[in-house]
């Protein structure tokens, strides 16, 4: 019994150390110009048996389970931050990149992998499928807080959030074709459409159900609402996967619906999900780092082959796939160049590389080691230069304005009131007006204004400026009326309208 307690205590201590080191590495990532996820993997490799020999870990099944769980949380958090008004114009190119683009990338890489790695055609196709998709965890982490322009940034985020199902499908389908030669390929194709259809349908239905539950069920503690929302993400994945649908796609759709609806405790849910996603990201990449053995990954044979495949993936396969899958979609050459360079690889390929290990596919260890090296190369080279490339291509937008002062937004369920945050746009009707002259709904109260990172205590004579962050306490029944007032656009004089239209 004492040994069991000692083992548990050691596990807790090591977990604490891993999380603390993981959090602290985020401070160094900006200074070093290296994405934090690379440092997370480095922490895992250093603490593994080949370096410090603190933790021995070679359980691919456990790594796969942790990886999928982490991806659910990361996709959920990413979907919450995806705004429908920005996503709608880029749905078609995003879906094309997530399907046609993945297939083209996988096919091109497979041809080169066949000869470079000495694999059979089916194994080469399996390798191509594993590295064919961009990674949501990597893309969300690298683009978070960056000022990449909305069109290409949203396209890339939507692609990475929706292309995991295609990569998972291709990987599992090819494993079935290798291990079960009698598998009917037409059945697999039909299965793909069923998976995608169920993912979209159940994601939408559970999204609507989640919004209704979050708004109508009064829980005793505000801290339960974030947990309630996360539980719906896990439930959506579980039921969709149980019905042979794409659970990851369903979670992403669910999160987009929740993120674009009015829900109670939105701020708390968002902040909790962000922190939880960071925790799972650290855990996932550290575990994947532990699963890789440097003595095997960094041999000369693996190194030169992996570097060659990485170059082909970054400079040939991805650009061709991006160009062909976005034909006639009105992207400029600069935008296409950025989308080509920003095809980051991350956790998904490494998690998918555990599938051949568990299926005992021939050359599965070679595939895993090369995939791991390719991901490291992509994160180091592409991840650390993505912002510079955007700047060189003049694809950076205005700096994202976020108030430094933090005011916790609350939803007072029992009082049927809510504190809302709103950023004033340049063309709003109430810009330049004093608060006393603005017809706010009766009972609505402006508690604070943040302007140029400074907190302003509002009075009746305070004038609203463009870019102001307003924090307003209002009753739930007047919420829509208040939002309509805040969003109302200034009417241009007839002469000015005529000049603008001409």
């Amino acid at each position: 019994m004492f040994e069991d307690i000692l083992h548990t205590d050691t596990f807790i201590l090591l977990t604490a150390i891993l999380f603390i080191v993981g959090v602290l590495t985020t401070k160094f990532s900006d200074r070093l110009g290296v994405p934090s996820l690379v440092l997370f993997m480095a922490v895992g490799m250093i603490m593994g048996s080949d370096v410090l020999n603190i933790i021995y870990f070679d359980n691919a099944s456990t790594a796969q389970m942790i990886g999928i769980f982490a991806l659910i949380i990361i996709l959920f958090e990413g979907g919450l931050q995806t705004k429908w008004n920005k996503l709608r114009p880029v749905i078609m190119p995003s879906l094309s990149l997530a399907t046609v683009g993945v297939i083209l990338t996988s096919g091109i890489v497979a041809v080169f992998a066949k000869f470079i790695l000495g694999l059979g055609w089916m194994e080469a196709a399996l390798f191509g499928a594993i590295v064919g998709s961009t990674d949501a965890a990597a893309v969300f982490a690298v683009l978070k807080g960056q000022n990449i322009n909305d069109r290409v940034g949203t396209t890339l985020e939507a692609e990475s959030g929706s292309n995991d199902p295609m990569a998972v499908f291709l990987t599992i389908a090819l494993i079935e074709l290798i291990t079960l030669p009698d598998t009917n390929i037409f059945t697999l194709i039909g299965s793909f459409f069923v998976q995608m259809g169920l993912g979209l349908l159940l994601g939408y239905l559970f999204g609507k159900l989640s919004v209704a539950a979050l708004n109508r069920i009064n829980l005793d503690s505000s801290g339960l609402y974030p947990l309630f929302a996360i539980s719906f993400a896990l439930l959506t994945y579980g039921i969709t996967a149980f019905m042979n649908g794409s659970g990851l796609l369903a979670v992403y759709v669910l999160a987009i619906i929740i993120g674009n609806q009015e829900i109670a405790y939105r701020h708390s849910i968002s902040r909790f999900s962000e922190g939880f996603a960071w925790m799972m990201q650290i855990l996932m990449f550290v575990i994947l780092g532990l699963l890789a053995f440097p003595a095997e990954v960094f041999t000369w044979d693996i190194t030169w082959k992996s570097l060659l495949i990485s170059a082909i993936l970054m400079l040939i396969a991805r650009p061709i796939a991006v160009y062909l899958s976005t034909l006639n979609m009105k992207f400029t050459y600069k935008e296409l160049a950025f989308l080509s360079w920003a095809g980051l690889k991350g956790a998904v390929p490494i998690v998918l590389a555990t599938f051949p290990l568990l299926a005992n596919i021939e050359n599965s260890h070679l595939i895993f080691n090369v995939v791991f090296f390719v991901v490291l190369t992509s994160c180091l080279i592409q991840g650390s230069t993505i912002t510079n490339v955007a700047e060189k291509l003049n694809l950076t937008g205005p700096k994202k304005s976020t108030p430094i002062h933090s005011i916790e937004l609350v939803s007072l369920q029992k009082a049927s009131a809510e504190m809302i945050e709103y950023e004033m746009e340049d063309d709003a009707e109430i810009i330049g007006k004093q608060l006393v002259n603005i017809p706010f709904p009766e009972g609505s109260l402006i508690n604070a204004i943040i302007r140029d990172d400074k907190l302003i205590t509002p009075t009746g004579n305070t004038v609203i400026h463009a870019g102001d962050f307003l924090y307003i306490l209002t009753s739930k029944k007047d919420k829509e009326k208040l939002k309509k007032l805040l969003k109302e656009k200034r009417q241009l004089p007839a002469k000015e309208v005529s000049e603008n239209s001409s």
Side-chain angles (χ1 to χ4, degrees), residues 285-446:
F285 282 106
V286 169
I287 289 293
L288 295 177
L290 285 170
L291 190 62
F293 292 85
E296 297 178 7
V297 174
F298 297 107
T299 62
W300 170 244
D301 186 58
I302 295 293
T303 299
W304 79 263
K305 290 178 180 178
S306 301
L307 287 173
L308 183 56
I309 289 176
S310 294
I312 291 166
L313 182 58
M314 288 187 278
L315 303 176
I316 299 175
R318 171 70 179 179
I320 291 175
V322 167
Y323 179 78
L324 293 179
S325 59
T326 58
L327 278 175
N328 300 320
M329 294 187 183
K330 298 180 180 179
F331 281 98
T332 66
Y333 286 113
K334 289 184 177 181
E335 290 172 336
L336 291 174
F338 178 79
L339 289 172
S340 299
W341 185 249
L344 290 167
K345 311 304 171 188
V348 170
I350 301 177
V351 172
L352 291 180
T354 63
F355 284 47
L357 289 173
L358 296 174
N360 293 317
I361 301 293
E362 187 178 0
N363 294 314
S364 58
H365 282 87
L366 171 64
I367 291 173
F368 179 86
N369 289 332
V370 174
V371 167
F372 190 89
F373 200 106
V374 167
V375 168
L376 273 180
T377 305
S378 174
C379 292
L380 280 170
I381 297 176
Q382 294 173 293
S384 60
T385 58
I386 191 169
T387 304
N388 291 332
V389 169
E391 290 175 352
K392 294 290 185 183
L393 295 172
N394 295 319
L395 294 176
T396 51
K399 291 290 182 181
K400 296 182 179 180
S401 55
T402 304
I404 292 177
H405 299 84
S406 176
I407 297 180
E408 180 68 19
L409 305 183
V410 297
S411 184
L412 308 174
Q413 288 286 82
K414 292 183 173 63
S416 296
E418 185 168 350
M419 180 83 80
I420 68 168
E421 174 193 43
Y422 191 83
E423 181 182 6
M424 296 308 306
E425 298 179 356
D426 296 345
D427 57 351
E429 172 66 26
I430 66 173
I431 294 295
K433 293 185 177 181
Q434 293 180 321
L435 293 180
V436 71
N437 295 322
I438 299 174
F440 288 109
E442 185 177 356
S444 296
L445 177 66
I446 297 184

Side-chain angles (χ1 to χ4, degrees), residues 195-220:
Q195 288 183 32
M196 298 303 107
L198 281 173
L200 288 170
L201 176 62
L202 293 178
Y204 176 80
L205 293 177
F206 275 105
K208 293 296 185 181
L209 176 64
S210 303
V211 171
L214 288 167
N215 284 331
R216 295 182 183 180
I217 298 177
N218 291 333
L219 301 175
D220 292 335

Side-chain angles (χ1 to χ4, degrees), residues 13-47:
L13 176 62
L14 288 175
T15 302
I17 292 173
L18 286 175
F19 277 124
I20 290 172
V21 172
V23 170
L24 292 178
T25 56
T26 61
K27 294 293 293 182
F28 295 104
S29 65
D30 290 336
R31 296 179 184 179
L32 297 175
V34 176
S36 56
L37 52 88
V38 175
L39 300 180
F40 299 156
M41 285 191 287
V43 169
M45 287 188 287
I46 290 170
M47 299 192 75

